[in-house]
Amino acid sequence: MPDLLKVAKFGGTSMADYHAMKRCAGIVGSDPDKKVIVVSATAGTTNLLTEFIAESDKERRLDIARRIRFKHLELCNLIQDKFSPQKKILGLLDELEQIAVRTQLMTSMLRDDILSFGERLSSELFTAVLSEQTGKDAHCFDVREIMRTDNNFGSAEPVIEDIARLTEEKLLPFLDHKCIVTQGFIGSDSHGFTTTLGRGGSDYSAALLAEALDADVLEIWTDVTAIYTTDPRIAEGVKPITEISFDEAAELSVFGAKVLHPATMVPAIRKNIRVYVGSSIEPDKPGTWIVKETKDHPVIRAVSLRRNQTLLTVHSLDMLHRFGFLARLFTLLADHKISVDLVTTSEVSVALTLDSDMNTPGKQKLTDEVLVELRSFCEVEIERDLALIALIGNRLDTTAGLSGPVFGALKEINVRLICHGASTHNLCFLVSEKEAEKVVQRLHKTFIES
Ligand code: ADP
Ligand code: ASP
Ligand code: MG
């Protein structure tokens, strides 16, 4: 077992092409402590596989499979013959084309199997580039041997105890003499069927492996130099965050900052593993450290935006001076595996927000069946095309004078719901999707730029 162990994750843009992979190999090569490397599919490949899955026409599916073939063979051909994984890559590409031809009925199990090709291809390629560029003894390890999940295909839940046991049995023995490259995003259920953790799930995979290995550091290498005070695609004047606490980073990711998958911080917090976020394009630029305790505790550290929100409002006169209504409502939602984010209640109504993101099929459940059940005991209203905005920081529940500037920035904006006071680290509200970016820009100007 090495003295210091780092798990490093490289995202899709970091795996974009041979040159991007070479840069990542340089980052791994310069640090002997980076022993476990978790990779995403090459940029755009998971989107292509999603198109493949949605396509019912065999010829068009084959066309997509051929685009994936071209892209990966082009990359493979740049690797020196001595290291080339061509045979394995061709095997995977042939298998994908056979699925394109043979599939009659798309099932959720088959969907996850198809989605896994992206990471299975990129990990073979990166293992070869790493060996070629650094002379390291790199080994491509199939993470499905250890990343045990339930069988909720599309949005599988990891089984932490099994992952710990399997990692110790099957992965740990390699670490004394090899550098391991493995796949993010994918896992397998107890029958060995391939599962996926949901879009963007490679960050979560890396955190789960860091937890199972008791790693000292988890590194997330991506296409931005650091975590910024808001998404740099939305506001000008964003500032890199040097240090942020576990709790703030967890809230930031849950409330939409795509730079970290929402569940990433959970294993890191459980095992107190420090997380570093840096750029694989400019690795020397300072990144962000996510730690248990930060030196500073600003009231507002960042602003985040989570799109595709649905507001569900239920009314019932039964709520008036009665008990049990909320329990009944939340039991129904829990039975249908509907995850609720914000909740506000009044005497006769409850308003709650849900993700309407179609990319996380396991979480999208406001089906007709749910609505019929809800309508059997209350009136229901649904509003879509909303966005959730969160101010993230410290002592937000007890800091005086915050609401003035917040409401000043929200002037003329129709705020559909506000949640304040439940968390010391966030103040959240819901606005229409159309106005969301403007609101983020205004809040960023008010609290961070000025
Ligand atoms: P990867 O492919 O490496 O996983 P992602 O695209 O999933 O990368 O995440 C990186 C992106 O997250 C950035 O390009 C940026 O646009 C977005 N992002 C959203 N919020 C933030 C933030 N607060 N700080 C940095 N990046 C953010
Ligand atoms: N390749 C997967 C996706 O694009 C997982 C990831 O990149 O984190 O969603
Ligand atoms: Mg990502």
Side-chain angles (χ1 to χ4, degrees):
M1 183 68 194
D3 290 343
L4 197 65
L5 177 61
K6 296 180 183 170
V7 173
K9 175 257 169 179
F10 294 90
T13 33
S14 306
M15 293 286 114
D17 52 29
Y18 180 64
H19 297 286
M21 284 197 182
K22 258 170 73 172
R23 270 197 308 265
C24 297
I27 294 171
V28 177
S30 63
D31 182 354
D33 299 328
K34 295 191 202 342
K35 282 281 191 177
V36 177
I37 315 302
V38 178
V39 297
S40 293
T42 58
T45 301
T46 310
N47 287 347
L48 279 174
L49 291 166
T50 307
E51 280 176 38
F52 176 110
I53 288 164
E55 189 53 76
S56 53
D57 182 79
K58 187 178 82 182
E59 282 309 317
R60 284 202 287 265
R61 268 201 311 254
L62 256 179
D63 197 48
I64 297 169
R66 287 188 189 124
R67 279 160 67 193
I68 293 173
R69 172 182 290 270
F70 179 77
K71 185 173 154 181
H72 288 84
L73 282 184
E74 194 176 42
L75 205 163
C76 192
N77 288 338
L78 293 169
I79 301 170
Q80 289 169 37
D81 287 349
K82 188 172 152 207
F83 300 96
S84 177
Q86 198 179 38
K87 218 170 139 200
K88 287 179 187 147
I89 296 294
L90 284 174
L92 286 166
L93 294 169
D94 289 348
E95 203 184 318
L96 185 63
E97 284 186 13
Q98 278 160 21
I99 296 175
V101 175
R102 288 205 196 126
T103 299
Q104 309 272 6
L105 180 73
M106 192 57 74
T107 61
S108 55
M109 191 192 284
L110 181 56
R111 264 188 214 116
D112 274 5
D113 190 35
I114 294 169
L115 286 174
S116 74
F117 278 83
E119 271 70 9
R120 285 159 69 198
L121 286 161
S122 64
S123 52
E124 289 292 355
L125 290 166
F126 186 63
T127 307
V129 175
L130 187 59
S131 306
E132 176 196 66
Q133 295 298 316
T134 66
K136 272 187 189 281
D137 189 2
H139 173 71
C140 188
F141 181 85
D142 190 334
V143 83
R144 292 171 297 177
E145 288 192 33
I146 58 174
M147 188 56 71
R148 177 63 49 79
T149 70
D150 66 9
N151 63 358
N152 187 16
F153 297 102
S155 189
E157 284 294 331
V159 185
I160 307 302
E161 306 75 45
D162 289 0
I163 296 170
R165 179 179 47 79
L166 292 165
T167 300
E168 195 175 338
E169 272 170 37
K170 302 190 176 192
L171 179 60
L172 215 52
F174 281 110
L175 293 191
D176 278 336
H177 52 285
K178 286 193 188 297
C179 180
I180 296 297
V181 177
T182 193
Q183 307 81 24
F185 181 51
I186 69 173
S188 70
D189 71 4
S190 56
H191 299 287
F193 293 116
T194 300
T195 56
T196 61
L197 303 179
R199 291 302 304 267
S202 296
D203 303 325
Y204 190 26
S205 304
L208 289 164
L209 292 177
E211 176 182 36
L213 289 163
D214 233 332
D216 299 281
V217 178
L218 165 64
E219 298 179 345
I220 305 284
W221 295 94
T222 181
D223 61 350
V224 280
T225 51
I227 299 183
Y228 282 87
T229 45
T230 195
D231 187 341
R233 287 174 302 188
I234 299 180
E236 288 169 10
V238 292
K239 297 177 184 169
I241 297 171
T242 314
E243 200 184 52
I244 185 170
S245 71
F246 282 163
D247 291 340
E248 291 169 278
E251 303 242 358
L252 195 65
S253 61
V254 165
F255 289 120
K258 193 183 170 227
V259 62
L260 290 178
H261 179 276
T264 312
M265 291 313 300
V266 178
I269 292 172
R270 274 196 297 254
K271 279 275 178 87
N272 191 10
I273 300 169
R274 293 183 307 144
V275 182
Y276 179 78
V277 178
S279 159
S280 68
I281 303 160
E282 298 173 287
D284 295 331
K285 286 238 169 111
T288 301
W289 276 103
I290 310 175
V291 292
K292 192 167 176 204
E293 277 298 328
T294 52
K295 287 175 216 83
D296 64 339
H297 306 90
V299 178
I300 309 286
R301 175 100 66 188
V303 186
S304 68
L305 168 62
R306 180 156 151 184
R307 299 175 200 270
N308 299 316
Q309 297 298 296
T310 296
L311 179 66
L312 173 72
T313 311
V314 297
H315 309 268
S316 171
L317 285 179
D318 282 354
M319 272 179 87
L320 209 58
H321 302 302
R322 296 267 186 84
F323 48 83
F325 179 83
L326 288 179
R328 187 169 177 193
L329 173 64
F330 285 102
T331 305
L332 192 159
L333 296 173
D335 288 347
H336 289 274
K337 296 204 169 119
I338 294 178
S339 124
V340 173
D341 295 306
L342 303 186
V343 185
T344 56
T345 64
S346 77
E347 188 62 28
V348 291
S349 47
V350 184
L352 36 92
T353 67
L354 317 168
D355 244 338
S356 32
D357 189 351
M358 302 305 286
N359 284 329
T360 45
K363 302 256 152 68
Q364 165 67 26
K365 291 278 167 57
L366 258 196
T367 56
D368 288 346
E369 190 194 346
V370 176
L371 292 175
V372 168
E373 280 187 50
L374 274 173
R375 288 192 171 116
S376 71
F377 64 97
C378 50
E379 285 168 36
V380 179
E381 268 176 58
I382 296 170
E383 285 173 63
R384 298 189 198 273
D385 302 324
L386 296 164
L388 200 161
I389 292 172
L391 288 168
I392 310 288
N394 298 281
R395 303 180 314 280
L396 281 151
D397 50 343
T398 52
T399 300
L402 203 60
S403 44
V406 171
F407 284 105
L410 294 171
K411 227 170 18 201
E412 316 126 33
I413 303 287
N414 177 19
V415 178
R416 288 296 297 109
L417 178 149
I418 298 185
C419 271
H420 181 213
S423 164
T424 185
H425 296 294
N426 75 59
L427 190 165
C428 304
F429 38 84
L430 207 60
V431 299
S432 86
E433 181 99 51
K434 282 200 282 301
E435 291 181 311
E437 291 203 359
K438 181 169 74 189
V439 174
V440 171
Q441 287 154 5
R442 280 197 203 164
L443 288 168
H444 193 266
K445 243 194 181 76
T446 306
F447 288 104
I448 290 164
E449 289 169 55
S450 56

PDB file of all heavy atoms in Angstrom, residues 40 84 112 153 177 262 307 318 344 444:
ATOM      1  N   SER A  40     -13.646   9.716 -17.708  1.00  0.00           N
ATOM      2  CA  SER A  40     -14.956   9.797 -18.378  1.00  0.00           C
ATOM      3  C   SER A  40     -14.791   9.346 -19.820  1.00  0.00           C
ATOM      4  O   SER A  40     -13.670   9.213 -20.307  1.00  0.00           O
ATOM      5  CB  SER A  40     -15.437  11.245 -18.413  1.00  0.00           C
ATOM      6  OG  SER A  40     -15.725  11.715 -17.148  1.00  0.00           O
ATOM      7  N   SER A  84      -0.314   0.242 -28.489  1.00  0.00           N
ATOM      8  CA  SER A  84      -1.668   0.396 -29.047  1.00  0.00           C
ATOM      9  C   SER A  84      -2.680  -0.624 -28.498  1.00  0.00           C
ATOM     10  O   SER A  84      -2.423  -1.831 -28.504  1.00  0.00           O
ATOM     11  CB  SER A  84      -1.601   0.270 -30.573  1.00  0.00           C
ATOM     12  OG  SER A  84      -2.912   0.352 -31.068  1.00  0.00           O
ATOM     13  N   ASP A 112     -28.079   1.024 -20.223  1.00  0.00           N
ATOM     14  CA  ASP A 112     -26.865   1.213 -19.422  1.00  0.00           C
ATOM     15  C   ASP A 112     -25.682   0.476 -20.026  1.00  0.00           C
ATOM     16  O   ASP A 112     -24.542   0.956 -19.979  1.00  0.00           O
ATOM     17  CB  ASP A 112     -27.106   0.766 -17.972  1.00  0.00           C
ATOM     18  CG  ASP A 112     -27.698   1.892 -17.138  1.00  0.00           C
ATOM     19  OD1 ASP A 112     -27.997   2.955 -17.724  1.00  0.00           O
ATOM     20  OD2 ASP A 112     -27.857   1.721 -15.923  1.00  0.00           O
ATOM     21  N   PHE A 153     -31.378   1.006 -12.999  1.00  0.00           N
ATOM     22  CA  PHE A 153     -30.610   1.362 -14.203  1.00  0.00           C
ATOM     23  C   PHE A 153     -30.821   2.835 -14.556  1.00  0.00           C
ATOM     24  O   PHE A 153     -31.914   3.351 -14.412  1.00  0.00           O
ATOM     25  CB  PHE A 153     -31.017   0.463 -15.378  1.00  0.00           C
ATOM     26  CG  PHE A 153     -30.697  -0.984 -15.122  1.00  0.00           C
ATOM     27  CD1 PHE A 153     -31.701  -1.873 -14.751  1.00  0.00           C
ATOM     28  CD2 PHE A 153     -29.400  -1.450 -15.214  1.00  0.00           C
ATOM     29  CE1 PHE A 153     -31.407  -3.207 -14.489  1.00  0.00           C
ATOM     30  CE2 PHE A 153     -29.094  -2.778 -14.959  1.00  0.00           C
ATOM     31  CZ  PHE A 153     -30.101  -3.655 -14.590  1.00  0.00           C
ATOM     32  N   HIS A 177       2.326  -2.021  -7.331  1.00  0.00           N
ATOM     33  CA  HIS A 177       3.233  -2.047  -8.479  1.00  0.00           C
ATOM     34  C   HIS A 177       2.638  -1.478  -9.766  1.00  0.00           C
ATOM     35  O   HIS A 177       3.337  -1.402 -10.771  1.00  0.00           O
ATOM     36  CB  HIS A 177       3.738  -3.481  -8.707  1.00  0.00           C
ATOM     37  CG  HIS A 177       2.623  -4.487  -8.796  1.00  0.00           C
ATOM     38  ND1 HIS A 177       1.918  -4.913  -7.683  1.00  0.00           N
ATOM     39  CD2 HIS A 177       2.091  -5.126  -9.852  1.00  0.00           C
ATOM     40  CE1 HIS A 177       1.004  -5.785  -8.072  1.00  0.00           C
ATOM     41  NE2 HIS A 177       1.091  -5.920  -9.381  1.00  0.00           N
ATOM     42  N   PRO A 262     -23.618  16.210  -8.105  1.00  0.00           N
ATOM     43  CA  PRO A 262     -24.198  16.529  -6.799  1.00  0.00           C
ATOM     44  C   PRO A 262     -23.832  15.581  -5.661  1.00  0.00           C
ATOM     45  O   PRO A 262     -23.800  15.992  -4.500  1.00  0.00           O
ATOM     46  CB  PRO A 262     -25.712  16.481  -7.053  1.00  0.00           C
ATOM     47  CG  PRO A 262     -25.898  16.445  -8.511  1.00  0.00           C
ATOM     48  CD  PRO A 262     -24.589  16.201  -9.184  1.00  0.00           C
ATOM     49  N   ARG A 307     -31.136  24.364 -13.483  1.00  0.00           N
ATOM     50  CA  ARG A 307     -32.224  24.554 -14.458  1.00  0.00           C
ATOM     51  C   ARG A 307     -33.219  23.403 -14.372  1.00  0.00           C
ATOM     52  O   ARG A 307     -33.076  22.502 -13.557  1.00  0.00           O
ATOM     53  CB  ARG A 307     -31.632  24.613 -15.872  1.00  0.00           C
ATOM     54  CG  ARG A 307     -30.652  25.769 -16.055  1.00  0.00           C
ATOM     55  CD  ARG A 307     -30.013  25.693 -17.427  1.00  0.00           C
ATOM     56  NE  ARG A 307     -28.786  26.462 -17.468  1.00  0.00           N
ATOM     57  CZ  ARG A 307     -28.713  27.754 -17.795  1.00  0.00           C
ATOM     58  NH1 ARG A 307     -29.791  28.422 -18.125  1.00  0.00           N
ATOM     59  NH2 ARG A 307     -27.545  28.379 -17.803  1.00  0.00           N
ATOM     60  N   ASP A 318     -58.082  19.472   3.997  1.00  0.00           N
ATOM     61  CA  ASP A 318     -57.801  18.495   5.059  1.00  0.00           C
ATOM     62  C   ASP A 318     -56.626  18.925   5.926  1.00  0.00           C
ATOM     63  O   ASP A 318     -56.438  18.421   7.021  1.00  0.00           O
ATOM     64  CB  ASP A 318     -57.443  17.125   4.450  1.00  0.00           C
ATOM     65  CG  ASP A 318     -58.689  16.402   4.006  1.00  0.00           C
ATOM     66  OD1 ASP A 318     -59.780  16.923   4.279  1.00  0.00           O
ATOM     67  OD2 ASP A 318     -58.544  15.342   3.371  1.00  0.00           O
ATOM     68  N   THR A 344     -42.016  24.455   0.745  1.00  0.00           N
ATOM     69  CA  THR A 344     -42.595  25.490   1.619  1.00  0.00           C
ATOM     70  C   THR A 344     -44.038  25.082   1.891  1.00  0.00           C
ATOM     71  O   THR A 344     -44.687  24.439   1.055  1.00  0.00           O
ATOM     72  CB  THR A 344     -42.591  26.906   0.982  1.00  0.00           C
ATOM     73  OG1 THR A 344     -43.276  26.854  -0.257  1.00  0.00           O
ATOM     74  CG2 THR A 344     -41.187  27.427   0.778  1.00  0.00           C
ATOM     75  N   HIS A 444     -24.634  38.088  -8.498  1.00  0.00           N
ATOM     76  CA  HIS A 444     -23.177  38.002  -8.516  1.00  0.00           C
ATOM     77  C   HIS A 444     -22.567  39.393  -8.432  1.00  0.00           C
ATOM     78  O   HIS A 444     -21.602  39.626  -7.695  1.00  0.00           O
ATOM     79  CB  HIS A 444     -22.727  37.272  -9.791  1.00  0.00           C
ATOM     80  CG  HIS A 444     -21.294  36.857  -9.763  1.00  0.00           C
ATOM     81  ND1 HIS A 444     -20.281  37.621 -10.282  1.00  0.00           N
ATOM     82  CD2 HIS A 444     -20.686  35.768  -9.220  1.00  0.00           C
ATOM     83  CE1 HIS A 444     -19.120  37.015 -10.082  1.00  0.00           C
ATOM     84  NE2 HIS A 444     -19.337  35.884  -9.445  1.00  0.00           N
TER      85      HIS A 444
END
